């Protein structure tokens, strides 16, 4: 999804074209299809949208979507993963050799930028609204979004050198939850409710730095309390 442009409510200019593509073209076509699907899901809601309508808008056969994604819930899962693509291109947190503060700030900047784009926020609102009727959709979104971030953080906090640097004996899952909570502060909730525009790169940088500082201060406080 575009990192700066507002969410499209109709198909992008580059529609999915028929024919057998090479690998690069296949990737481009899949990205275009997911862009179209995301815009239509947000505009019409998951409940009212059919794969056939997505196929018509994207100019592909519905059976192609079924074969690739296995149905509408699989397509939504792919839309979520595609929208989270900035995390995939981010430096690998789990093996980041830098000190914890630098590694976590870099990770937070990428995470918060991806999570606060207008398209990502619109998709999240739609999925929250549909969750009572389609719990499987909400579960897929959660597993491919927040849960995946939590898992990356937990794996990072299992590293012996990171734990020595933080001086903590807290479980990795506890540290991951605390770090993720620090990043997703009240400001993010305001964004989800549409109470402020998506932040700029500079605002994200300050947000990430403040969130990680808050988390590390809390980790040090917990270490002090645990000390004899």
């Amino acid at each position: 999804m575009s990192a700066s442009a507002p969410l499209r409510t109709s198909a992008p200019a580059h529609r999915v074209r028929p024919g057998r593509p090479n690998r690069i073209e296949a990737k481009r076509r899949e990205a275009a299809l997911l862009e179209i699907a995301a815009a239509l899901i947000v505009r019409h809601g998951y409940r009212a949208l059919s794969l056939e309508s997505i196929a018509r808008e994207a100019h592909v056969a519905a059976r192609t979507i079924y074969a690739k994604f296995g149905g509408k819930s699989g397509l939504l899962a792919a839309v979520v993963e595609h929208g989270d693509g900035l995390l995939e291109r981010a430096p690998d947190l789990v093996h980041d050799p830098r000190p914890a503060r630098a590694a976590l700030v870099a990770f937070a900047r990428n995470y918060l930028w991806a999570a606060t784009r207008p398209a990502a926020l619109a998709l999240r609102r739609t999925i929250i609204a549909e969750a009572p009727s389609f719990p499987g959709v909400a579960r897929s979104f959660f597993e491919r979004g927040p849960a995946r971030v939590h898992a990356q953080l937990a794996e990072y906090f299992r590293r012996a050198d990171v734990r020595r640097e933080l001086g903590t004996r807290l479980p990795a899952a506890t540290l991951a939850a605390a770090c993720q909570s620090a990043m997703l502060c009240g400001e993010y909730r305001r964004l989800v409710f549409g109470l402020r525009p998506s932040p700029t790169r500079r605002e994200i940088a300050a947000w990430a730095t403040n969130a990680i500082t808050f988390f590390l201060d809390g980790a040090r406080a917990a270490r002090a309390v645990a000390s004899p």
Side-chain angles (χ1 to χ4, degrees), residues 102-114:
L104 288 169
V105 167
F107 181 80
R109 289 175 70 164
N110 282 280
Y111 174 39
L112 292 171
W113 179 258

Side-chain angles (χ1 to χ4, degrees), residues 33-56:
L33 172 61
L34 294 175
E35 291 275 354
I36 292 167
L40 292 174
I41 288 169
V42 170
R43 183 178 184 183
H44 300 290
Y46 182 81
R47 182 198 313 263
L49 195 62
S50 68
L51 282 186
E52 288 72 19
S53 61
I54 296 173
R56 282 195 303 272

Side-chain angles (χ1 to χ4, degrees), residues 84 87 106-116 146 149 180 183-184:
D84 215 15
L87 283 179
F107 181 80
R109 289 175 70 164
N110 282 280
Y111 174 39
L112 292 171
W113 179 258
T116 59
V149 172
Q180 195 166 2
M183 287 189 281
L184 296 179

Side-chain angles (χ1 to χ4, degrees), residues 108 111-112 175-188 207-208 210-216:
Y111 174 39
L112 292 171
L175 291 168
C179 187
Q180 195 166 2
S181 294
M183 287 189 281
L184 296 179
C185 60
E187 196 65 18
Y188 181 73
W207 182 348
N210 292 338
I212 296 306
T213 298
F214 178 76
F215 163 72
L216 292 175

Side-chain angles (χ1 to χ4, degrees), residues 5-226:
L7 180 72
R8 289 186 292 263
T9 54
S10 60
H14 297 289
R15 294 179 183 272
V16 181
R17 297 191 180 115
R20 172 171 262 172
N22 58 33
R23 182 177 298 180
I24 294 175
E25 178 64 12
K27 288 280 189 184
R28 189 197 67 76
R29 292 187 187 188
E30 181 175 327
L33 172 61
L34 294 175
E35 291 275 354
I36 292 167
L40 292 174
I41 288 169
V42 170
R43 183 178 184 183
H44 300 290
Y46 182 81
R47 182 198 313 263
L49 195 62
S50 68
L51 282 186
E52 288 72 19
S53 61
I54 296 173
R56 282 195 303 272
E57 188 78 9
H59 290 212
V60 300
R63 64 178 178 274
T64 301
I65 302 179
Y66 277 106
K68 177 71 175 176
F69 303 105
K72 199 161 68 165
S73 62
L75 177 61
L76 178 63
V79 165
V80 172
E81 193 159 359
H82 176 68
D84 215 15
L86 283 176
L87 283 179
E88 307 246 336
R89 297 193 294 273
D92 179 13
L93 173 66
V94 176
H95 302 101
D96 196 318
R98 292 175 292 180
R101 180 182 295 275
L104 288 169
V105 167
F107 181 80
R109 289 175 70 164
N110 282 280
Y111 174 39
L112 292 171
W113 179 258
T116 59
R117 295 310 86 208
L121 291 166
L123 184 61
R124 178 177 287 258
R125 292 184 198 109
T126 300
I127 292 171
I128 290 172
E130 300 283 9
S133 300
F134 299 95
V137 172
R139 187 178 302 109
S140 175
F141 176 83
F142 181 80
E143 289 173 353
R144 291 175 180 266
R148 188 173 65 173
V149 172
H150 183 276
Q152 290 180 62
L153 288 167
E155 190 172 352
Y156 176 73
F157 290 127
R158 279 192 283 271
R159 279 175 39 179
D161 60 320
V162 173
R163 299 184 68 79
R164 282 195 302 270
E165 183 180 347
L166 296 182
T168 182
R169 296 181 180 178
L170 290 171
T174 300
L175 291 168
C179 187
Q180 195 166 2
S181 294
M183 287 189 281
L184 296 179
C185 60
E187 196 65 18
Y188 181 73
R189 295 183 181 90
R190 291 181 64 202
L191 286 162
V192 172
F193 282 106
L195 299 179
R196 59 151 295 177
S198 289
T200 64
R201 286 281 189 187
R202 179 175 293 184
E203 290 170 330
I204 285 291
W207 182 348
T209 300
N210 292 338
I212 296 306
T213 298
F214 178 76
F215 163 72
L216 292 175
D217 286 348
R220 283 195 293 269
R223 177 182 60 192
V225 169

